Amino acid sequence: MSEPSDINIQANGIRQHGIEWRGRDGAHLVLLLHGCGSNCWNWYPLGKRLAERFGDRVHVVALDHRGCGDSERPSTGYTPDVCAQDVLAVREQLTDRPATLIGHSRGGWMGAYIAGRFPDEVAGLVLVDPARMVWPSLEAADAFYERVGRGLGPFDTFDDAIANAKRAHPLAVWSEDRLRGLRFGLREEGGKLVGKLPREVLAQLRAARVDSDEVGPYLANVTAPTLLLVASTSDERRQGEKLAYGSGIPGTEVRFFHTSHYMHVDAPDDIAATVGDFLARRVDALAVAGA
């Protein structure tokens, strides 16, 4: 159970790639949603630990979102609603029951959007240092997407890509698992390494978030038990932007960790223990209900 398999699912009109730790038939589905510019392999530390803890009682799937990793990269379809339908179409293919969504950064933003727009589809929600719902300024948005864009290269060597990533995320722990996720997000082109995420897709991801608050208006509709994990190393304003999810979603459980934004890679044992305890309550409740 500790090592995942590749999975490719034709859903919502595109092929979506991911890695999975497959449980028994009827196992509770856990979908892991990555952040902007990331990919499914950045979930490996958490997915592995959840699979080891729960065995075949859960089916853990870390997705590459459209345009990312080894999923298809159509030229359009990067609005919140289409991206939500991607996730829901995967859920429908894998189970006829609500799933637990665990999202990091933009994936947390998307998970909250799905749980608010389609509450009956979500059994549990974990937001791992989620992306801000509203940008404080256009300059802040530009700085973020420019940093993501620099991660797309081109790079002469993988060492150059690592050096760029370390400059962008100086507090992150650069484990072998983190490096594997970085490498998976790159491809060779013309003797260089470039990001699998096309720059024109990054521009559309930016456009989907800059002009309006797509998530906040739906938070009060979330009915799933929710766990919010916040990196305490970020400044007070940034922490406030994350805690806004907890203020909007009734009954949110909040936990702080002294890590970088990539807490699930920095401190995988601690994060897996916290998420696992939360998930255990969902799995146990479903077992009692016979679901």
Side-chain angles (χ1 to χ4, degrees):
M1 284 292 294
S2 61
E3 293 305 307
S5 302
D6 283 288
I7 183 173
N8 287 280
I9 300 173
Q10 193 71 25
N12 201 30
I14 64 168
R15 180 186 53 78
Q16 300 185 55
H17 170 265
I19 55 175
E20 67 171 346
W21 292 262
R22 179 173 288 278
R24 63 174 180 255
D25 289 346
H28 180 59
L29 179 63
V30 179
L31 293 175
L32 307 179
L33 312 178
H34 64 71
C36 185
S38 190
N39 61 73
C40 64
W41 275 99
N42 283 288
W43 284 116
Y44 174 81
L46 179 61
K48 174 182 178 180
R49 286 164 174 79
L50 294 180
E52 289 173 343
R53 174 167 175 173
F54 291 98
D56 65 359
R57 293 189 294 158
V58 297
H59 181 186
V60 180
V61 179
L63 289 173
D64 282 332
H65 304 306
R66 72 165 54 208
C68 301
D70 281 355
S71 287
E72 283 191 53
R73 292 177 276 277
S75 60
T76 60
Y78 297 93
T79 63
D81 188 60
V82 174
C83 292
Q85 293 301 327
D86 287 346
V87 175
L88 294 175
V90 168
R91 196 282 305 164
E92 185 176 1
Q93 293 243 4
L94 297 178
T95 181
D96 59 359
R97 300 165 184 165
T100 290
L101 304 181
I102 302 178
H104 171 242
S105 196
R106 181 187 169 88
W109 176 85
M110 179 54 60
Y113 177 85
I114 294 170
R117 286 287 313 278
F118 310 98
D120 292 342
E121 303 277 357
V122 182
L125 178 65
V126 181
L127 307 177
V128 182
D129 221 44
R132 53 177 61 82
M133 287 180 277
V134 180
W135 289 100
S137 67
L138 185 59
E139 291 75 19
D142 288 342
F144 172 79
Y145 287 102
E146 286 171 7
R147 185 173 72 245
V148 176
R150 287 194 294 272
L152 302 179
F155 303 108
D156 291 328
T157 68
F158 187 49
D159 285 342
D160 292 337
I162 295 172
N164 174 78
K166 287 183 175 180
R167 287 192 296 270
H169 305 287
L171 298 180
V173 174
W174 287 92
S175 63
E176 288 301 315
D177 288 338
R178 180 76 190 272
L179 292 173
R180 175 166 48 186
L182 179 65
R183 182 66 183 86
F184 183 76
L186 300 170
R187 60 183 176 85
E188 293 188 11
E189 181 181 278
K192 304 281 188 179
L193 291 174
V194 299
K196 292 178 179 176
L197 173 67
R199 289 186 181 275
E200 57 270 24
V201 169
L202 179 61
Q204 292 187 59
L205 294 176
R206 177 190 181 281
R209 290 193 53 214
V210 167
D211 295 332
S212 61
D213 180 3
E214 297 288 345
V215 175
Y218 299 108
L219 292 183
N221 299 334
V222 176
T223 58
T226 301
L227 173 65
L228 171 61
L229 308 183
V230 177
S232 62
T233 58
S234 53
D235 61 34
E236 184 176 352
R237 183 177 69 181
R238 184 69 185 92
Q239 289 188 46
E241 292 168 339
K242 302 168 199 174
L243 291 170
Y245 286 87
S247 299
I249 300 174
T252 299
E253 177 185 348
V254 181
R255 297 286 302 275
F256 289 86
F257 291 88
H258 191 72
T259 66
S260 81
H261 181 52
Y262 294 87
M263 58 175 62
H264 53 302
V265 185
D266 291 350
D269 289 337
D270 292 341
I271 300 304
T274 300
V275 172
D277 289 346
F278 173 85
L279 183 59
R281 298 197 291 272
R282 313 282 78 73
V283 173
D284 292 344
L286 290 168
V288 169

